[in-house]
Amino acid sequence: MPSRGQQESTGLGTLEPGTVQRAQLHSRIADIAWSALCTVLALWAIWSSVGLARGRTAWAYCAVAWVLLAVALTVRVLAIRRRTRL
């Protein structure tokens, strides 16, 4: 229990409005989202390629997965290059 004159800590001390960490929060969340998207697309592309190598006729899924992965990685690289540093 905090004594008189002390405020309770919310656990978000460095994420309060107006701090540098708060300003960087958007780009950190975007990094996590892009990483998750690229990981899922890469796993899908690899999985469909393995299925294609085994003789299944899912070549359309394989092609779509690789195209989406290439587009996502290209957009990710362009976003990193255009990002301004705080």
Side-chain angles (χ1 to χ4, degrees), residues 6-82:
Q6 292 178 345
Q7 294 179 351
E8 284 190 42
S9 175
T10 61
L12 298 175
T14 58
L15 291 177
E16 293 174 354
T19 61
V20 175
Q21 290 84 359
R22 179 73 177 233
Q24 293 174 345
L25 183 62
H26 177 72
S27 65
R28 289 180 184 174
I29 291 173
D31 287 342
I32 293 168
W34 276 109
S35 297
L37 176 67
C38 290
T39 301
V40 168
L41 287 174
L43 289 173
W44 180 32
I46 292 169
W47 186 264
S48 62
S49 296
V50 168
L52 187 63
R54 289 183 178 172
R56 295 184 184 161
T57 58
W59 61 269
Y61 290 114
C62 183
V64 168
W66 285 107
V67 167
L68 287 177
L69 180 61
V71 169
L73 289 174
T74 302
V75 171
R76 174 75 178 127
V77 168
L78 291 175
I80 289 173
R81 287 184 182 172
R82 293 181 182 174

